[in-house]
C-alpha cells in the first residue's frame, strides 16, 4: 500500500475509485453499443427503441458492474434526457430447460 496503513478510509477510497472506473467503462461500452442503435432508429424516424440487454437473446453485450443495478442505468438515461425509460426483468426457460431471465430496455426520446 505504498507505505500507507490499510484503514477503513483507505479501503473505502480504493473501492470508490475502482467503482468510478468500472462505471465509466460501462458507460463507454453502453455508448458504443446502445447509442449506435438509438441513432439508427432515430434516423429511421422512430422515437423509441426496445433492446434485450441480458440473456441468450441479447441485442447488445453489456457488462454491468456487479455492484450496480438496472435502476442505476435507468437513472443515468433519465439524467441524459430520455423521456421514458423502462427496464423489465422477463423470466424465461432456457434452451437447457433451466429457468433464466433477461432484461429488456425500452427508451423514448
Amino acid at each position: 500500500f505504498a507505505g500507507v496503513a490499510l484503514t477503513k478510509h483507505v479501503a473505502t477510497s480504493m473501492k470508490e475509485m475502482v467503482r468510478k472506473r468500472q462505471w465509466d467503462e460501462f458507460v463507454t461500452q453502453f455508448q458504443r453499443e446502445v447509442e449506435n442503435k438509438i441513432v439508427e432508429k432515430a434516423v429511421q424516424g422512430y422515437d423509441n427503441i426496445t433492446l434485450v440487454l441480458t440473456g441468450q437473446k441479447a441485442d447488445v453485450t453489456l457488462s454491468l458492474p456487479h455492484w450496480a443495478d438496472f435502476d442505476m442505468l435507468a437513472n443515468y438515461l433519465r439524467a441524459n434526457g430520455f423521456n421514458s425509460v423502462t427496464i423489465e426483468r422477463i423470466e424465461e426457460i432456457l434452451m437447457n430447460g433451466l429457468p433464466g431471465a433477461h432484461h429488456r430496455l425500452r427508451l423514448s426520446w
Side-chain angles (χ1 to χ4, degrees):
F1 299 102
V4 177
L6 182 60
T7 63
K8 178 182 175 186
H9 176 72
V10 171
T12 299
S13 294
M14 291 170 67
K15 175 190 75 177
E16 289 171 359
M17 181 178 61
V18 168
R19 285 186 175 189
K20 181 183 181 331
R21 180 181 47 82
Q22 289 173 338
W23 183 256
D24 290 345
E25 289 171 359
F26 172 75
V27 167
T28 299
Q29 179 187 26
F30 183 88
Q31 290 170 336
R32 186 175 54 248
E33 294 197 32
V34 176
E35 290 183 4
N36 287 339
K37 292 186 181 300
I38 292 170
V39 169
E40 288 173 15
K41 286 290 193 178
V43 298
Q44 293 173 9
Y46 290 92
D47 61 359
N48 63 71
I49 191 169
T50 300
L51 295 170
V52 177
L53 298 178
T54 60
Q56 294 179 342
K57 300 173 187 173
D59 296 314
V60 293
T61 305
L62 296 177
S63 298
L64 190 65
H66 69 89
W67 49 267
D69 59 27
F70 285 102
D71 288 338
M72 291 176 70
L73 174 58
N75 291 335
Y76 165 78
L77 294 167
R78 288 184 192 106
N80 283 287
F82 287 96
N83 300 331
S84 174
V85 179
T86 305
I87 300 177
E88 306 175 89
R89 179 181 166 90
I90 310 296
E91 300 296 327
E92 63 184 341
I93 301 298
L94 302 177
M95 289 176 20
N96 60 9
L98 297 174
H102 65 270
H103 292 82
R104 182 170 52 207
L105 167 68
R106 291 183 181 165
L107 286 178
S108 304
W109 51 87

